Amino acid sequence: MTTNSLLERRFRVLGRNSPLFYDKPLQLVRGEGVWLYDADGKRYLDAYNNVPHVGHCHPRVVDALCRQARTLNSHTRYLDETVVNYAERLLATFHPSLQRVFLTCTGSESNELALRIARECTGNMGVISTAFAYHGNTAAVSQISSVFTTPEKRGPFVRCVPVIDPYRERNGRTDEQLADAYVHDLEVAIDDFERIGVKLAAVLFCTAFSSEGLPDIPRGYFPKVAAAVHAAGGLVIADEVQAGFGRFGSHMWGHDRHGMVPDIVTMGKPMGNGHPLAGVVTTPDLMDRFTSQNMYFNTFGGNEVSAAVGLAVLDVLRDEQLLQNALRVGEYVLDGMRALQKRHAIIGDVRGQGMFFAVEVVSDRQTRTPDATRTKAIVNAMRERGVLISRIGPHDNILKIRPPMVFSTENAGLLLSTLDSVLSDLG
Ligand SMILES: Cc1ncc(COP(=O)(O)O)c(C=O)c1O
């Protein structure tokens, strides 16, 4: 079976619009740690995937999954100690006000539930996201996922604030001035709702603005967002699907990193290292108010196997000190990227922390003009040379580099040298 004939078969059953990475799609057959292998046996360094958070097919996670699958996997309406153990372990990583969890299967489901809680508990309908956000694929969540949803499809209860872009918009302003300016954008959106009689239920932001291009978020911005949202009677929903589980190394959660305590936190992707496990964490008060009016039941969310997997992921993060690893290796990557920036004019900006990096590709450093064409060429050339990365941002010109948390300095060296040679060849 060649990759091409598999592609044709895929088109016939999954359709031509089911997204695939790279000009030449990859047929992966095996993964281990930071390595992926294609059908021809070629090895790729995974510098992109956050779902295999603690590494592809981590033996402790796989063992936990198999052991529990051999023992019991029913559904979520029986008493089970593993599930309670997991919920306790997970909640211990949160602020003392956030001590209840709903377990779900996907980030989309988590954001859908978060919107329901916010609307039910505030009695309001208005929701604000950013103008280039992705939060999931349910009916309500796709309305706020502005990256794929045109304004006409967002309906009367959704407003989007502009994407923050300090790289282009700082204009000599301090973090405080910049944070105030960006919060003003939020207040404009809230006033816009007020004018048509819509009250604010929630603001739902990714705490790293991942799809938006991983901007350097001005210090103090998120606490100011929370204050503005609460003053308008709404709730803050922190989407931690990409930023959570220690991705940035310094903190377990993106909102902690920015000194904000949200009302609701949603999570997914890395939570089960590839197994469909996601969740919503909130306060006892919000959970009680929501569940007293709505029976929330999820057949698979937080079943015995999911809980065993989730526990194993937390164990590996702790035992292999992966947050510390992310910080240490992350610094090495950033230093290397900044050195490349000095030699390659096409690199306009390098941002990031822990195991999440963004590299702005520009055609002109002075004007900071995004160069989407060459960004795409770099991503494809990296893939040809055996390193997997992707691209993000409203202008599609930002290299997105977000490896599994077990990425080592040796792996970082290969990432940097491959990028160096690709950029050199690009001229
Ligand atoms: C920030 C963010 N939120 C939510 C989601 C949706 O998660 P899922 O695909 O598990 O439904 C994604 C998926 O890419 C995401 O990146």
Side-chain angles (χ1 to χ4, degrees):
M1 172 65 50
T2 66
T3 296
N4 275 347
S5 64
L6 184 60
L7 188 62
E8 277 310 315
R9 283 178 57 205
R10 177 179 159 122
F11 286 156
R12 276 198 293 278
V13 287
L14 303 183
R16 288 193 172 263
N17 295 323
S18 168
L20 279 166
F21 280 144
Y22 306 114
D23 287 348
K24 268 200 261 159
L26 263 175
Q27 185 187 353
L28 298 172
V29 295
R30 191 164 74 81
E32 186 180 354
V34 294
W35 299 105
L36 288 163
Y37 300 83
D38 75 8
D40 298 324
K42 180 173 170 184
R43 189 172 83 150
Y44 296 85
L45 176 66
D46 187 355
Y48 174 72
N49 285 295
N50 63 336
V51 172
H53 194 53
V54 299
H56 289 274
C57 305
H58 194 291
R60 284 183 72 182
V61 178
V62 175
D63 283 351
L65 187 149
C66 296
R67 209 177 317 117
Q68 187 60 47
R70 266 197 302 269
T71 310
L72 172 72
N73 198 24
S74 57
H75 62 85
T76 55
R77 281 182 289 189
Y78 296 103
L79 263 181
D80 178 73
E81 195 177 354
T82 312
V83 177
V84 177
N85 287 343
Y86 180 55
E88 287 171 351
R89 281 279 299 283
L90 182 68
L91 289 172
T93 68
F94 280 90
H95 186 270
S97 66
L98 295 164
Q99 289 306 312
R100 294 288 185 275
V101 60
F102 296 89
L103 293 168
T104 67
C105 306
T106 66
S108 302
E109 260 188 317
S110 296
N111 282 326
E112 175 78 20
L113 175 58
L115 291 182
R116 286 182 64 193
I117 295 170
R119 285 176 165 155
E120 174 86 31
C121 294
T122 61
N124 303 337
M125 283 301 289
V127 177
I128 295 174
S129 64
T130 77
F132 203 78
Y134 185 71
H135 296 291
N137 57 23
T138 66
V141 176
S142 62
Q143 286 188 320
I144 62 164
S145 291
S146 49
V147 57
F148 294 132
T149 308
T150 52
E152 320 73 76
K153 289 190 179 160
R154 288 180 206 152
F157 300 122
V158 172
R159 288 288 178 278
C160 294
V161 291
V163 170
I164 73 166
D165 187 0
Y167 168 54
R168 294 186 176 77
E169 297 164 347
R170 183 169 286 276
N171 296 329
R173 287 178 287 183
T174 63
D175 266 22
E176 193 177 0
Q177 289 166 330
L178 211 49
D180 286 340
Y182 290 143
V183 172
H184 178 70
D185 290 343
L186 179 62
E187 286 162 346
V188 168
I190 295 171
D191 290 347
D192 198 36
F193 268 149
E194 295 273 338
R195 257 194 302 282
I196 57 164
V198 172
K199 298 227 167 302
L200 185 68
V203 164
L204 197 166
F205 283 163
C206 163
T207 58
F209 291 132
S210 311
S211 305
E212 294 88 337
L214 203 74
D216 278 331
I217 297 168
R219 218 166 319 112
Y221 169 72
F222 269 115
K224 284 175 196 257
V225 165
V229 172
H230 290 150
L235 299 176
V236 175
I237 303 171
D239 183 329
E240 295 283 357
V241 168
Q242 294 210 38
F245 290 91
R247 171 69 33 197
F248 287 88
S250 56
H251 298 81
M252 184 72 166
W253 304 107
H255 59 268
D256 282 338
R257 181 173 166 240
H258 293 289
M260 175 183 71
V261 183
D263 303 292
I264 304 173
V265 181
T266 61
M267 63 205 76
K269 286 188 198 268
M271 194 168 176
N273 213 51
H275 182 80
L277 173 60
V280 178
V281 165
T282 189
T283 65
D285 177 53
L286 286 172
M287 178 186 265
D288 290 348
R289 281 161 58 201
F290 178 74
T291 51
S292 65
Q293 301 301 316
N294 304 273
M295 205 285 277
Y296 184 78
F297 163 62
N298 192 317
T299 300
F300 299 117
N303 66 28
E304 296 88 342
V305 169
S306 298
V309 166
L311 268 171
V313 171
L314 292 181
D315 286 344
V316 174
L317 278 176
R318 179 196 58 206
D319 296 347
E320 297 186 14
Q321 305 190 336
L322 292 182
L323 274 68
Q324 295 89 323
N325 183 67
L327 262 189
R328 191 174 49 82
V329 179
E331 276 307 309
Y332 183 88
V333 173
L334 286 167
D335 286 347
M337 293 286 182
R338 289 186 189 121
L340 291 184
Q341 186 181 15
K342 291 205 177 88
R343 293 196 288 106
H344 299 282
I346 194 173
I347 299 184
D349 193 30
V350 171
R351 306 188 282 270
Q353 185 187 307
M355 277 297 115
F356 208 153
F357 317 97
V359 178
E360 286 256 4
V361 178
V362 294
S363 55
D364 180 333
R365 262 202 199 157
Q366 232 55 50
T367 56
R368 305 179 179 200
T369 308
D371 189 338
T373 309
R374 284 203 284 176
T375 310
K376 185 168 186 244
I378 295 167
V379 170
N380 281 296
M382 293 287 285
R383 170 241 188 269
E384 290 299 329
R385 291 178 206 198
V387 178
L388 303 184
I389 62 170
S390 189
R391 58 205 157 101
I392 40 167
H395 311 293
D396 227 4
N397 73 309
I398 301 169
L399 301 178
K400 180 181 194 181
I401 301 170
R402 189 195 47 183
M405 298 283 280
V406 287
F407 210 66
S408 67
T409 45
E410 199 189 342
N411 302 146
L414 180 58
L415 165 71
L416 291 163
S417 62
T418 310
L419 185 58
D420 192 14
S421 74
V422 164
L423 295 179
S424 302
D425 289 355
L426 219 60

